[in-house]
Amino acid sequence: MKLACAITLASASTASAFVPGGFGRRATALKMSAAPESGPVEESRRGFVQTSVAGAAALTAATLMPEAALAAKSTAWRQVDLGISETLYDISFDPAEKTHGYVVGAKGTFLETKNGGKSWTPRSFSNLDADEEINYRFEKVSCLNDEVWIIGKPAILLHSKDAGKNWERVPLSPKLPGEPNGIIALGSGEAEMTTSTGAIYSTVNAGRNWKALVKETIDATLNRISSSGVSGASYFSGGIINIARDADGTYIAVSSRGNFYLTWSPGDDFWIPHNRGTPRRIQNMGFVNGKAANGIWMSLNGGLLQIAKGGDLQADTPDFQSVPIKTGGYGIIDLGWKGSDEIWAVGGGGTMYTSKDAGKSFKFDNSADDIPGNLYQVKFANNNGFVLGSDGVLLRYSGSV
């Protein structure tokens, strides 16, 4: 399936299977307003279950990782009380206004901070019906120079030009290949959007027109080069997950089956598939310290972690080296770098690990021992650090271990 080279939203004559356009429809103007404060949470069976889960998780951690039971309580991370129980998916701070940021999550969760994440205010879109808004799962948010982009499911794309004061809903064509799964604000009306089938689009006029950067969807590319020797690539018809982008526009993505991964660099016509080099399924991948030139990290089922130094994205199977990290079987879901030497890893069961020697060794951190559920993302930006998880968990970095 070929991707159109350019996408013009205003003209139906340019419609193709890869056009994320509104075909002349105007963007819907939205205004943001503060959500009413919720009342106190009553004791319930859910509270009992969460307490039981926390106790079980702590007991399991102590059994599998004895140092967890013996170590003094770490204060490297402190939980921020958001007063919600929905899963959080993404966080973004504006580099131009370092204390201003946003968090998005399930059931229409949209929070804003203006004090560096010390406290958060629930927001809502007044022109979206309340019953409609709660059905959306906002998954990605990105901001730069007072410009903010949000994507969610069912497929929705929201854009603000004035630091979130007013919003417009950017139309998306039902013929869009896959679902939007990534958005990056590049400033002055520019952005890049990715989809679950590997399409990458760029806009320079706030979403009125989009240009396709990849000529084929991933399944078309893999089926065309099925003799490449990439395990699991033949007759591929799935999607991609956990897509990541570095500052220079290079992407890495994991196949939905976790049996291989792909990379794309600016100027490439197609995604390049790579063998994972291990029988274990890939949990997640990303770039070392956020830059492809530094290397690639890969987490695998069973709590294993590997890093390939250097930026050779053309290699079929880069030279991944195992990282000494004792997780007790808990999977590593995300890694975050605070500088070149300090690394944090988060994962299932509220587990956290830290390295102070650029990944040569990792040590268990018990900051989240009493928090049930999974930790999905760790991100450092503007001298702030945050961890997002299930059940409305948001941790803020304090730096004192």
Side-chain angles (χ1 to χ4, degrees):
M1 186 180 295
K2 296 291 184 179
L3 293 177
C5 290
I7 300 169
T8 304
L9 302 183
S11 174
S13 63
T14 60
S16 78
F18 306 104
V19 179
F23 302 108
R25 293 176 294 175
R26 293 184 178 178
T28 305
L30 302 174
K31 292 185 178 180
M32 185 179 69
S33 58
E37 296 184 359
S38 58
V41 180
E42 296 180 357
E43 194 67 36
S44 63
R45 291 178 61 189
R46 178 174 181 174
F48 172 77
V49 171
Q50 289 181 334
T51 301
S52 301
V53 170
L59 179 60
T60 303
T63 302
L64 296 176
M65 295 168 288
E67 68 271 23
L70 299 175
K73 180 66 175 178
S74 169
T75 57
W77 298 85
R78 299 182 185 276
Q79 186 170 6
V80 181
D81 184 10
L82 301 178
I84 62 174
S85 58
E86 284 72 33
T87 297
L88 306 179
Y89 289 111
D90 199 16
I91 186 170
S92 180
F93 279 82
D94 191 339
E97 191 176 351
K98 297 184 177 182
T99 59
H100 193 189
Y102 307 88
V103 162
V104 294
K107 295 184 179 180
T109 298
F110 180 36
L111 308 173
E112 180 183 24
T113 182
K114 294 185 178 180
N115 59 9
K118 297 177 182 177
S119 62
W120 296 80
T121 303
R123 298 296 185 185
S124 63
F125 302 100
S126 59
N127 285 21
L128 280 182
D129 184 84
D131 293 335
E132 178 188 14
E133 186 172 352
I134 199 172
N135 291 327
Y136 284 107
R137 184 174 69 186
F138 297 130
E139 295 186 333
K140 295 293 182 180
V141 57
S142 181
C143 56
L144 179 64
N145 298 333
D146 289 339
E147 196 166 14
V148 192
W149 297 82
I150 294 175
I151 63 169
K153 294 181 181 178
I156 188 172
L157 176 60
L158 301 170
H159 176 233
S160 173
K161 301 177 182 178
D162 54 8
K165 296 182 180 67
N166 297 283
W167 294 81
E168 63 177 1
R169 182 171 178 174
V170 181
L172 292 171
S173 170
K175 296 181 180 180
L176 183 72
E179 297 180 326
N181 66 352
I183 189 74
I184 298 293
L186 300 176
S188 301
E190 298 185 28
E192 283 184 7
M193 180 179 68
T194 60
T195 77
S196 58
T197 62
I200 305 175
Y201 298 103
S202 67
T203 181
V204 295
N205 55 11
R208 292 182 180 85
N209 307 94
W210 296 85
K211 178 182 178 182
L213 302 181
V214 183
K215 291 185 177 180
E216 286 182 336
T217 56
I218 287 176
D219 56 346
T221 297
L222 293 177
N223 293 330
R224 179 172 53 81
I225 59 171
S226 58
S227 61
S228 64
V230 176
S231 176
S234 300
Y235 305 106
F236 175 76
S237 60
I240 58 175
I241 56 175
N242 302 331
I243 190 167
R245 180 187 187 276
D246 82 344
D248 296 325
T250 299
Y251 285 88
I252 188 168
V254 179
S255 77
S256 55
R257 303 171 188 170
N259 50 356
F260 64 95
Y261 71 96
L262 308 104
T263 57
W264 181 88
S265 299
D268 290 349
D269 290 335
F270 317 108
W271 285 85
I272 300 176
H274 305 267
N275 282 306
R276 67 187 186 273
T278 172
R280 293 181 180 264
R281 297 175 69 87
I282 302 173
Q283 182 88 26
N284 197 5
M285 295 188 71
F287 298 116
V288 173
N289 203 8
K291 296 181 179 179
N294 295 334
I296 302 170
W297 64 265
M298 173 193 295
S299 63
L300 305 166
N301 279 6
L304 300 185
L305 179 63
Q306 298 181 347
I307 293 180
K309 296 294 181 64
D312 186 7
L313 300 182
Q314 302 298 321
D316 175 39
T317 307
D319 184 21
F320 282 99
Q321 300 294 320
S322 295
V323 174
I325 182 170
K326 299 178 181 179
T327 68
Y330 285 101
I332 298 298
I333 299 177
D334 194 25
L335 263 65
W337 268 257
K338 187 181 185 298
S340 58
D341 294 331
E342 185 175 348
I343 309 172
W344 286 86
V346 299
T351 51
M352 302 182 72
Y353 304 86
T354 182
S355 171
K356 299 299 177 65
D357 53 13
K360 296 178 182 178
S361 63
F362 277 83
K363 178 182 178 181
F364 177 78
D365 184 271
N366 60 11
S367 292
D369 256 11
D370 55 350
I371 297 175
N374 297 325
L375 303 177
Y376 294 119
Q377 184 185 103
V378 53
K379 182 180 289 188
F380 292 92
N382 299 347
N383 296 320
N384 286 322
F386 294 91
V387 171
L388 282 64
S390 56
D391 296 316
V393 170
L394 178 66
L395 306 179
R396 186 169 183 267
Y397 183 72
S398 67
S400 56
V401 180

